[in-house]
């Protein structure tokens, strides 16, 4: 919401300066997003008169001007075709920066002739698109005056953020009302003229009372649609709206000034009367933005006997729009149901100033007054004669009254405010307060729904900064831990990942349909996403991290090691998950190993096992199995499971077809670790058991087995480890040798004696158990 300071002061009688107003706006809930001072970029530009104009001695298209900017004549070289003696224009002094390109003016020689600044065009000052010549001002323009002051461009533009519940502040008058309630001056009520029309009003009716409960209209005939008055065009230009014509500018001005959108139809382009009805499936309308929209049933439209002319409450149609030849108009002032407006706008992906106000809810009691003001402005600046007013339907005033207790500001809001002060605040905001504290909100505050909202209004205006900070009550003694078991697991895994050299990423919880499909598709798709690239709730964390990896690699990163802890959104619910991506170089090229080494599936497996260990999973009991999913490369991926059904993680190299979806080149390893599948640890109290290292030294024995090609090393190691659980504490593969169809796997076994050292007989007994366990898997001890 933008407005100028002078515009605000046309509704608020105040002596407050700009800084005070800005501070008050933010304090009462209208956050100031920015302030623009148009005069700042025009510093150094003044009104000046050309005294003489002579041909440049070295260039046919240049002239040497003598310019008076209030301090005596200055020599200026100029190439504008309209430069001549006696012209009054805008002169840029040396040191001024040209707004259009930022060039700082200085004294310079142009084709051998010194030039002390420049005469400016409209485009160079960013005041329009005209660049055919320099600006020509009236002859009585005061020479030497700052151009910003002369043109009235020294009015600061304020932009505030209006929350969706504050429909009353979508107009300058509503913002002024809030500031007046905050003590910054007196609210100036709008002047509602009495417009006497002659004859019957326009032919309008309602067939969709649910979407358009009230449709008021008045006609004006014999008008001339020229330019809007200078003061109106200046205000609209200041907030970024381009003046078009008097009729269009009046409706735009009413929208911003009073928060009352209207629409004007060229009566000559209508076929019969206007009706507010529901669209028929397949109907189309070309809107004022030049786009054609296909309508569906349930959308409220304004149509005549021939076609649809208006997407009700959102945007008018091009076919019935006014032009410079318009002489007879119908002024529409209607009330559209906010919920219907929101649904239509979302379905059509169409937004406008009117929609922003109607879907919040405009004042339903301001129909007659709004129409009278608009008609008066049309008559004032376009001429013509007004018809009578047609009032179809009735606006839903829906007044509500609440029994209010002034003590609630302290019990609910934490601030004691005297009762009479509360009454004054509420009444200044337009509320009606009875002697028995029965409070009725004004018609423009449909967001008030209970006494808690009344407390909020009082606290907001009185000053939320006055609410004293009060510490929450604390249980005596040592504070108890508050983190849940799930949070503790995530904390341990996050620290372990960072300690292993991985960088944490935070990505969107939403994906494009293309990315979600690559991982099996999402269970939930947004009906009204902020972007088509953020439409589906993620079924996996890997797409977001892969996109981040692609951006880093494209920007020159040699090695990318990213992880993220978040939620997957599946049909059965949310799942806590860790995603991890390894891309680029695992080790850079060097004199020892030669070319750079890439990541492989074993790197992903190592990360998965280390992070599962940090999460508390029994990694020694895990089984490595296949079926990592279509996203992974077959034969270079797997899953880590507790039993055949409980999958704790999937890891490996990603499928090349998937990598093309994310514009990734080369091999990429990934891990998806399911934190919610990790079995919780049994509670053992707060005390950790005392660390008791073994009294005797461990013994290592090596075994080499000839194994069948189908036997996995994981199955062999688990069999060896389980051969004697009392003595064997670890087992690992340390060598693999293949020759033809034969395959040899060497396993290192760690034996830990208990109360006494192993004897040769003990070691032989354990070795026999190891060989027997391996034989059950089809492995034979090498001779």
């Amino acid at each position: 919401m933008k407005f100028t300071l002078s515009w605000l002061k046309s509704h608020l009688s105040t002596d407050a300066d700009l800084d005070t107003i800005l501070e008050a706006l933010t304090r009462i809930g209208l956050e100031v997003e920015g302030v623009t001072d148009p005069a700042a970029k025009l510093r150094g530009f003044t009104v000046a008169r050309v005294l003489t104009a002579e041909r440049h001695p070295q260039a046919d298209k240049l002239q040497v001007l003598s310019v008076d900017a209030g301090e005596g004549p200055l020599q200026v070289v100029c190439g504008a075709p309209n430069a001549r003696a006696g012209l009054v224009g805008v002169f840029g002094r040396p040191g001024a920066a040209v707004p259009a390109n930022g060039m700082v003016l200085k004294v310079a020689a142009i084709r051998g002739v010194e030039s002390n600044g420049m005469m400016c065009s409209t485009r160079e000052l960013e005041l329009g698109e005209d660049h055919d010549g320099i600006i020509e001002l009236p002859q009585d323009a005061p020479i030497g005056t700052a151009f910003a002051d002369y043109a009235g461009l020294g009015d600061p533009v304020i932009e505030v953020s209006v929350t969706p519940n504050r429909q009353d502040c979508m107009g300058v008058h509503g913002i002024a009302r809030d500031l007046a309630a905050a003590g910054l001056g007196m609210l100036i009520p709008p002047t509602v003229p009495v417009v006497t029309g002659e004859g019957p009003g326009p032919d309008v009716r309602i067939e969709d009372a649910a979407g358009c409960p009230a449709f008021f209209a008045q006609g004006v005939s014999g008008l001339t649609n020229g330019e809007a008055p200078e003061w109106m065009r200046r205000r609209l230009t200041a907030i970024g709206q381009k003046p078009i014509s008097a009729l269009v500018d009046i409706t735009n001005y009413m929208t911003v000034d009073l928060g009352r959108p209207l629409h004007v139809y060229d009566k000559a382009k209508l076929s019969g009367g206007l009706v507010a009805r529901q669209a028929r499936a397949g109907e189309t309308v070309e809107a004022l933005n030049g786009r054609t929209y296909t309508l569906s049933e349930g959308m409220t439209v304004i149509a005549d006997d021939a076609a649809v002319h208006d997407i009700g409450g959102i945007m008018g149609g091009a076919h019935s729009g006014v032009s410079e030849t318009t002489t007879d108009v119908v002024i529409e002032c209607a009330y559209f149901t906010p919920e219907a407006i929101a649904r239509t706008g979302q379905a059509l992906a169409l937004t406008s100033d009117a929609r922003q106000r109607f879907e919040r809810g405009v004042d339903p009691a301001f129909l007659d007054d709004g129409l009278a003001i608009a008609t008066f402005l049309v008559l004032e600046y376009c001429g013509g004669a007004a018809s009578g007013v047609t009032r179809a339907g009735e606006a839903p005033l829906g007044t509500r009254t609440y029994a209010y207790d002034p003590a609630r500001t302290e019990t609910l809001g934490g601030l004691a405010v005297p009762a009479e002060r509360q009454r004054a605040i509420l009444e200044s905001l337009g509320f009606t307060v009875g002697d028995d504290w029965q409070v009725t909100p004004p018609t423009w505050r449909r967001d008030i729904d209970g006494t808690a909202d009344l407390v909020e209004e009082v606290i907001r205006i009185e000053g939320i900064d006055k609410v004293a900070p009060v510490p929450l009550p604390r249980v005596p003694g040592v504070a108890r831990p508050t983190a849940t078991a799930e949070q503790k697991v995530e904390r341990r895994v996050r620290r372990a990942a960072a300690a292993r050299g991985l960088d944490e990423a935070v990505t969107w919880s939403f994906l494009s349909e293309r990315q979600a499909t690559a991982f099996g598709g999402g269970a939930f798709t947004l009906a009204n996403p902020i972007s088509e690239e953020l439409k589906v709730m993620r079924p996996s964390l890997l797409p977001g991290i892969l996109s981040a990896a692609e951006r880093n690699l494209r920007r020159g990163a040699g090695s990318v090691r990213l992880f993220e802890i978040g939620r997957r959104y599946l049909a059965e619910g949310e799942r806590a998950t860790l995603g991890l991506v390894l891309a680029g170089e695992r080790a850079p090229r060097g004199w020892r190993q030669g070319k750079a080494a890439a990541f492989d599936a074993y790197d992903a497996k190592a990360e998965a096992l280390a992070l599962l260990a940090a999460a508390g999973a029994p990694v020694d009991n895990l089984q490595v199995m296949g079926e990592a999913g279509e996203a992974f490369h077959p034969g270079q991926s797997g899953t880590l499971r507790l039993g055949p059904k409980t999958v704790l993680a999937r890891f490996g190299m990603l499928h090349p077809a998937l990598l093309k979806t994310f514009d990734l080149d080369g091999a990429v390893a990934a891990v998806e670790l399911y934190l919610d599948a990790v079995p919780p640890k049994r509670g053992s109290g707060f005390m950790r058991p005392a660390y008791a290292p073994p009294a005797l030294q461990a013994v290592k024995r090596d075994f080499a087995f000839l194994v069948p090609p189908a036997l996995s090393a994981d199955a062999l190691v688990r069999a060896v480890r389980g051969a004697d659980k009392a003595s064997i504490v670890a087992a690992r593969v340390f060598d693999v040798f293949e020759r033809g169809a034969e395959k040899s796997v060497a396993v290192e076994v760690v034996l830990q004696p208990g109360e006494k050292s192993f004897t040769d007989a003990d070691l032989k007994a354990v070795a026999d158990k190891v060989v027997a366990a391996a034989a059950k898997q089809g492995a034979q001890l090498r001779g």
Side-chain angles (χ1 to χ4, degrees):
M1 175 68 189
K2 289 183 178 181
F3 52 91
T4 65
L5 181 61
S6 65
W7 196 342
L8 176 68
K9 289 189 174 182
S10 69
H11 291 274
L12 180 68
S13 177
T14 180
D15 295 328
D17 59 15
L18 177 62
D19 291 339
T20 303
I21 291 174
L22 298 179
E23 185 277 330
L25 285 169
T26 299
R27 174 165 47 85
I28 62 179
L30 299 170
E31 181 183 359
V32 177
E33 292 192 332
V35 180
T36 304
D37 185 3
K41 65 180 182 181
L42 294 177
R43 289 195 180 97
F45 295 90
T46 58
V47 178
R49 184 186 302 277
V50 178
L51 301 177
T52 61
E54 303 292 340
R55 179 177 173 275
H56 192 290
Q58 303 296 330
D60 293 337
K61 294 185 179 181
L62 297 180
Q63 296 187 76
V64 180
L65 310 180
S66 176
V67 176
D68 179 15
E71 299 177 356
L74 293 171
Q75 183 171 279
V76 176
V77 176
C78 180
N82 64 330
R84 62 187 184 277
L87 179 144
V88 178
V90 181
F91 170 67
R93 299 176 179 276
V98 179
N101 53 27
M103 179 183 68
V104 178
L105 301 177
K106 57 185 179 180
V107 178
I110 300 177
R111 295 288 185 92
V113 177
E114 182 180 273
S115 181
N116 298 274
M118 69 180 292
M119 297 296 290
C120 305
S121 69
T122 300
R123 185 191 296 178
E124 288 163 340
L125 299 185
E126 293 186 334
L127 299 176
E129 295 302 320
D130 184 11
H131 195 59
D132 294 334
I134 57 178
I135 296 173
E136 295 192 36
L137 300 178
Q139 288 294 313
D140 59 354
I143 306 303
T145 302
F147 176 66
D149 294 340
Y150 169 77
L153 299 174
D155 197 4
V157 178
I158 305 168
E159 182 175 5
V160 298
S161 175
V162 182
T163 53
N165 64 313
R166 294 304 308 278
Q167 69 277 355
D168 59 306
C169 287
M170 290 301 290
V172 181
H173 185 75
I175 293 173
R177 183 191 298 112
D178 263 22
L179 289 172
L184 262 70
M186 296 293 293
L187 180 67
I188 302 173
T191 302
V192 180
V194 177
V195 178
T196 303
E198 296 182 0
D203 178 11
V204 299
R205 66 185 191 278
I206 296 173
E207 293 180 0
D208 178 20
C212 179
F215 186 178
F216 291 11
Q218 189 166 17
V220 178
S221 58
L223 59 80
T224 301
N225 186 23
E227 280 193 339
E230 172 64 23
W231 62 268
M232 185 180 293
R233 288 187 284 116
R234 185 177 296 172
R235 287 182 177 178
L236 293 175
T237 302
I239 64 172
Q241 293 196 11
K242 181 181 179 180
I244 299 174
S245 67
L247 291 173
V248 176
D249 294 349
I250 287 170
T251 60
N252 290 339
Y253 180 77
M254 289 281 294
T255 299
V256 179
D257 188 57
L258 298 171
R260 175 65 256 187
L262 305 109
H263 188 62
V264 179
Y265 300 90
D266 188 333
K267 189 175 180 180
K269 298 177 181 178
L270 300 177
S271 299
L274 292 172
V275 56
R277 62 169 173 85
Q278 288 192 1
R280 304 182 183 97
E283 281 189 310
T284 61
V285 59
E286 182 184 353
L288 288 171
N289 60 3
R291 295 180 58 186
T292 299
Y293 294 90
T294 301
L295 309 174
S296 59
E297 294 180 359
M299 296 180 178
T300 301
V301 299
I302 307 297
D304 61 9
D305 296 341
V308 173
H309 289 288
D310 189 353
I311 305 172
I314 299 179
M315 188 170 290
H319 294 115
S320 59
V322 297
S323 66
E324 66 277 2
T325 62
T326 298
T327 58
D328 300 332
V329 297
V330 176
I331 304 173
E332 167 209 300
C333 185
Y335 180 87
F336 296 95
T337 305
E339 293 78 10
I341 292 293
R343 287 193 296 267
T344 300
Q346 291 170 3
L348 298 177
L350 176 60
T351 187
S352 65
D353 289 339
R355 175 191 166 184
Q356 291 176 2
R357 287 158 176 83
F358 276 122
E359 71 179 352
R360 283 173 163 89
V362 300
D363 183 5
F366 197 63
L367 290 173
D368 271 317
D369 290 349
L371 183 58
I373 295 173
T375 304
F376 173 80
L377 291 173
V378 171
L379 295 173
E380 180 76 10
Y381 298 110
C382 300
S387 72
V389 176
T390 302
R391 298 175 179 85
E394 186 175 348
L397 299 180
T399 55
R400 309 167 308 281
T401 300
Y402 303 101
Y404 179 63
D405 181 5
R408 293 208 72 194
T409 59
E410 184 172 11
T411 58
L412 185 61
L415 182 63
V417 181
E420 289 309 309
R421 170 61 178 156
Q422 295 190 48
R423 181 186 296 274
I425 290 174
L426 292 172
E427 289 179 345
S428 64
L429 291 172
F431 293 77
T432 301
V433 184
D435 294 337
D436 57 352
W437 285 99
Q438 295 291 317
V439 180
T440 303
T443 53
W444 57 80
R445 292 301 301 272
R446 66 187 295 266
D447 60 304
I448 302 299
D449 187 22
T451 56
D453 291 332
L454 300 177
V455 172
E456 181 182 358
E457 291 300 297
V458 172
I459 297 296
R460 178 175 67 88
I461 298 299
E462 183 68 9
I464 197 170
D465 55 314
K466 295 182 181 179
V467 178
V470 178
L472 294 173
R474 182 178 179 274
V475 179
V478 179
R480 296 181 179 182
T482 58
T484 65
E486 183 183 59
Q487 290 171 332
K488 291 178 181 178
V489 170
E490 291 184 6
R491 189 180 299 166
R492 291 197 301 269
V493 173
R494 179 177 284 108
R495 289 177 176 174
R500 293 181 63 81
L502 300 170
D503 298 312
E504 184 172 10
V506 179
T507 66
W508 292 104
S509 297
F510 304 96
L511 310 171
S512 66
E513 285 185 312
R514 177 177 59 88
Q515 292 177 337
T517 301
F519 283 84
F524 304 101
T525 300
L526 301 185
N528 185 35
I530 61 174
S531 167
E532 285 298 313
E533 297 300 311
L534 300 171
K535 188 174 184 178
V536 182
M537 298 191 75
R538 63 186 179 193
S540 168
L541 269 68
L542 294 181
I545 314 175
L546 287 172
S547 296
E550 186 269 336
R551 287 192 296 271
N552 280 272
L553 292 171
R554 186 159 23 95
R555 286 164 174 77
S559 179
V560 176
R561 305 164 188 248
L562 295 176
F563 80 96
E564 180 177 11
I565 296 177
R567 300 290 185 271
R568 294 177 298 138
Y569 300 94
L570 310 178
E572 62 270 19
E574 300 180 16
R575 293 289 183 263
T577 309
L578 179 142
L580 185 153
V581 166
L582 305 172
E585 300 173 352
R586 178 172 61 83
R589 62 181 181 174
W591 63 271
R592 296 181 63 186
Q593 73 275 6
K595 63 181 181 180
F599 291 102
D600 58 26
Y602 296 106
D603 295 316
K605 180 183 177 182
E607 298 296 342
L609 289 172
L611 296 178
L612 283 172
V619 293
D620 291 339
N621 300 332
L622 295 182
Q623 297 174 256
V624 179
M625 302 178 68
E627 302 176 9
E630 295 182 357
F632 286 83
H633 197 302
Q636 299 183 33
S637 60
T639 59
L640 295 171
R641 308 189 182 203
L642 274 176
K645 294 185 178 180
T646 306
V647 180
L648 299 190
R650 57 177 179 165
F651 68 90
M653 307 306 294
L654 293 176
H655 199 286
L658 176 79
L659 298 181
K660 290 182 180 178
T661 303
F662 292 88
D663 296 327
L664 284 164
D665 297 323
V668 177
V671 174
E672 196 160 58
L673 192 152
Y674 309 124
L675 299 176
D676 60 319
V678 177
K681 285 187 175 182
R682 295 179 180 178
S684 58
F686 293 107
M687 295 294 293
R688 293 182 180 178
Y691 175 64
L696 300 175
Q697 185 174 348
V699 178
K700 296 181 180 179
R701 288 290 184 269
D702 296 340
F703 298 84
F705 298 99
L706 293 174
V707 300
L711 180 64
S712 68
D714 173 70
L716 177 62
V717 169
R718 283 190 292 106
V720 169
R721 189 187 300 119
D724 189 339
K725 295 181 179 180
S727 301
I728 299 176
V729 295
R732 70 181 184 90
V733 174
F734 70 88
D735 183 58
V736 177
F737 175 75
E738 295 184 64
R739 183 175 61 185
E742 294 183 326
K743 184 177 182 179
S744 172
V745 177
V747 181
E748 177 189 81
V749 179
V750 180
L751 308 174
Q752 178 60 56
E755 297 179 356
K756 61 178 182 178
S757 299
F758 290 122
T759 64
D760 289 342
D762 295 334
L763 294 175
K764 185 179 183 307
V766 173
D768 291 342
K769 293 179 180 179
V770 169
V771 173
K776 292 181 180 180
Q777 301 294 324
Q780 296 180 356
L781 186 69
R782 288 176 56 187

